[in-house]
Amino acid sequence: YGLREAYRLVLEEGLENRFERHRKNHLLLKRELEPMGFEFIVKEGYRLPMLNAVKLPDGVDDAAVRTRLLNEYNIEVGGGLGQFAGKIWRIGLMGESSNPNCVNTLVAALKTIL
């Protein structure tokens, strides 16, 4: 039933519209994070707008900031894995959470914390 509902939502929105929504929210995130010192790991043209890997600015304590995001704002951001642990974040903009409100809430929280 869950898979059927997911397909129904995609068909209702339209696949091309869904791709465009994810692209627009990725670009909004990019516009907001880059002036704050975050750098996207994957070169433009190869990025998945649903999963954004960004290098942390110098001086940002990965664990401390992600903990505050989760505890104070209920925002979960994935940390880097392996050689990227403590150096990058993985920010998901997938499905229904790919909307400007989610991006703006994350950015506002980061501006307060940083």
Side-chain angles (χ1 to χ4, degrees), residues 13 16-34 40 47-54 91-107:
E13 182 177 6
E16 293 303 319
N17 292 336
R18 196 167 186 90
F19 290 154
E20 181 62 15
R21 176 171 55 85
H22 283 82
R23 188 187 72 77
K24 284 180 180 178
N25 290 311
H26 160 75
L27 292 175
L28 173 61
L29 182 69
K30 181 180 180 300
R31 257 192 327 270
E32 294 293 333
L33 289 185
E34 286 183 336
F40 281 76
R47 295 180 189 152
L48 295 175
M50 299 85 175
L51 185 58
N52 300 273
V54 294
I91 303 171
L93 294 175
M94 300 170 213
E96 299 306 309
S97 68
S98 181
N99 66 66
N101 186 52
C102 287
V103 174
N104 291 329
T105 301
L106 171 62
V107 170

Side-chain angles (χ1 to χ4, degrees), residues 38-96:
F38 290 88
E39 298 174 36
F40 281 76
I41 304 296
V42 179
K43 292 181 183 177
E44 221 164 311
Y46 295 97
R47 295 180 189 152
L48 295 175
M50 299 85 175
L51 185 58
N52 300 273
V54 294
K55 180 179 180 253
L56 302 179
D58 291 336
V60 172
D61 183 331
D62 165 52
V65 174
R66 287 192 305 115
T67 298
R68 285 191 64 191
L69 285 170
L70 184 58
N71 293 337
E72 297 174 26
Y73 299 93
N74 200 30
I75 298 172
E76 188 170 6
V77 172
L81 303 171
Q83 67 182 8
F84 294 108
K87 300 175 185 174
I88 74 160
W89 285 346
R90 296 169 296 127
I91 303 171
L93 294 175
M94 300 170 213
E96 299 306 309

Side-chain angles (χ1 to χ4, degrees), residues 3-21:
L3 183 59
R4 183 175 187 271
E5 178 64 10
Y7 284 147
R8 186 192 67 74
L9 291 172
V10 170
L11 290 172
E12 183 178 284
E13 182 177 6
L15 197 53
E16 293 303 319
N17 292 336
R18 196 167 186 90
F19 290 154
E20 181 62 15
R21 176 171 55 85

